[in-house]
Amino acid sequence: ASASASASVVSGGGGNGNKANKLNPADKENIAPPAKRQCLEVTKPVIIRSTCHGFSRLPEEIVNHLLSYVCPIDKPARANKTPSYGSTNGMSAVCRMWRTYRNASRNGLSLSSKRDVPAEILASVVTASPNLKFLELSSVRCVVPSLLRQISMEKYTGLERLTVAECPLLTDVSMKMLLLRCRNLRTLDLTGCNRLTDDLFTTLPTHCPKLVTLHLNQGPGLTNTGLSAVLSRCSSLLNLHAAGCPNINHRAFVTAAANGAQIKLAVLDLSRTNITDELSSILPLLTSLRSIRLDQCVNVTDATVVPLAAHCVRLHTLTVTGLNLTNISVLAMAESLEQLQVLSLSGNRQIEDLSVSQLLLRCSKLTSIDLSFCRRLTSNAFLANPMSCNGLRTVILKDCALIGKDALDALKLLGVN
């Protein structure tokens, strides 16, 4: 870019105008101001500095498209080891914003919900980053088996977290090819990938022996065979999410225990599954649990929740929404779960004031409780022992018509939302 600028040439008395004469300090006061200035129009280059960082404001799709044209391998251009300016290192050397983006993307790449990213661009971006620690491709329309096969040609030895949730076109074969290159994977999210079957799940422990967290939610292809294989051979597994899987039940845990597995789960989500009261038979194997969700498991009753409270005394999060539990379960929680912090009893319409007041009194670490649709509760549940609510921060009381304004005002005075 160029612009016009004005330059002033001052003609001094007695000089040729080419060089400035050196003057004594005493003579400077006697110099008369110039009588006239001769202005010459000249042109000089001007560097334009943008006040806004345009590169940083580009949509991710455009940045990823730009990245697809950059050489993914940083090779020296000459024998003197000078970096090629067609490489990512070269671009980082001359462009501050590119360097910032490159450094930010060095450890991971998230393209979740970018539904319209073309497959060829996505493959270029991913393969140009072989040192990723996490890769998120949730809800990306172009994540198809052929794309994963192309990506699987690279070795992602450092990849620790992979998310391909809500990609319904994925198949067992393509996922196997990709996971073979991800031996150090610790977190895997396959939520909503409804074409995956036990053919993949039974081989997960071989492909990903270091798995710590596994999300298999809404997977109709998961059965007790695949789940028992994961529980038996993934010795590092701590967090298992299998909500909405209709073909699993307690038998997967029984089989894993029969195979000599030591189940160390700390987080377990079995919401909306076919779990029944037979789950109580394997609760002695789940004493390490810190969090469990059994929402809308309609076949679970007090016969499971009471022994659950007795065996899993370290629980700090318990959600048993819509199970139609009674006061017996709530009193069992009050007696055993001293570490409980978050509790959801929503939809258990037979719960009454006495059990809830005892729960609030004994579970002193409780900070959040959901009692929505517990329609037998009245204000006495909170006013019987007002100071027992001192630690509460969140109370949800949807459709609890019998709880009056006096109880609500008392909770507000204690700082409860």
Side-chain angles (χ1 to χ4, degrees), residues 85-326:
Y85 286 97
S87 67
T88 52
N89 279 342
M91 291 298 294
S92 298
V94 297
C95 179
R96 181 185 304 173
M97 295 306 300
W98 191 283
R99 181 169 63 252
T100 301
Y101 179 82
R102 182 174 182 268
N103 291 339
S105 303
R106 182 176 299 170
N107 292 328
L109 182 62
S110 176
L111 295 174
S112 297
S113 301
K114 305 302 181 184
R115 296 180 177 271
D116 299 321
V117 180
E120 62 275 8
I121 294 178
L122 179 60
S124 299
V125 173
V126 176
T127 54
S129 308
N131 298 320
L132 294 176
K133 289 188 178 298
F134 71 87
L135 176 61
E136 298 179 358
L137 300 174
S138 299
S139 303
V140 180
R141 290 177 180 175
C142 66
V143 178
V144 294
S146 58
L147 174 61
L148 282 189
R149 282 194 288 269
Q150 182 179 355
I151 295 175
S152 66
M153 300 304 293
E154 299 288 338
K155 286 187 178 181
Y156 296 97
T157 55
L159 192 66
E160 297 180 357
R161 188 172 83 238
L162 174 62
T163 301
V164 286
E166 305 299 336
C167 297
L169 297 180
L170 294 184
T171 62
D172 295 337
V173 175
S174 57
M175 280 304 303
K176 283 182 181 180
M177 294 181 64
L178 179 59
L179 294 178
L180 279 172
R181 307 282 182 164
C182 307
R183 302 287 296 179
N184 294 317
L185 204 63
R186 295 180 178 274
T187 301
L188 177 61
D189 190 348
L190 299 174
T191 299
C193 299
N194 50 28
R195 289 193 181 186
L196 301 181
T197 67
D198 286 342
D199 187 30
L200 170 67
F201 302 133
T202 53
T203 59
L204 271 181
T206 303
H207 297 153
C208 309
K210 299 180 181 180
L211 270 181
V212 176
T213 301
L214 181 59
H215 296 263
L216 302 175
N217 301 323
Q218 303 171 26
L222 176 65
T223 68
N224 289 328
T225 302
L227 183 56
S228 63
V230 171
L231 293 171
S232 300
R233 296 160 55 196
C234 289
S235 57
S236 301
L237 191 65
L238 297 178
N239 309 308
L240 176 61
H241 303 265
C245 297
N247 297 316
I248 63 172
N249 52 42
H250 72 285
R251 292 189 181 90
F253 296 86
V254 174
T255 304
N259 293 334
Q262 294 182 354
I263 302 176
K264 303 176 182 178
L265 291 177
V267 177
L268 178 61
D269 187 356
L270 296 175
S271 302
R272 304 185 307 281
T273 61
N274 287 326
I275 292 291
T276 66
D277 282 335
E278 294 181 2
L279 179 67
S280 59
S281 63
I282 55 98
L283 289 176
L285 304 175
L286 303 176
T287 56
S288 59
L289 279 179
R290 301 293 188 276
S291 174
I292 185 170
R293 297 180 64 97
L294 297 172
D295 297 341
Q296 299 178 20
C297 294
V298 294
N299 296 318
V300 173
T301 66
D302 293 332
T304 295
V305 177
V306 171
L308 173 66
H311 290 288
C312 304
V313 295
R314 299 179 182 180
L315 282 176
H316 60 69
T317 301
L318 175 60
T319 60
V320 283
T321 300
L323 302 190
N324 201 27
L325 301 179
T326 67

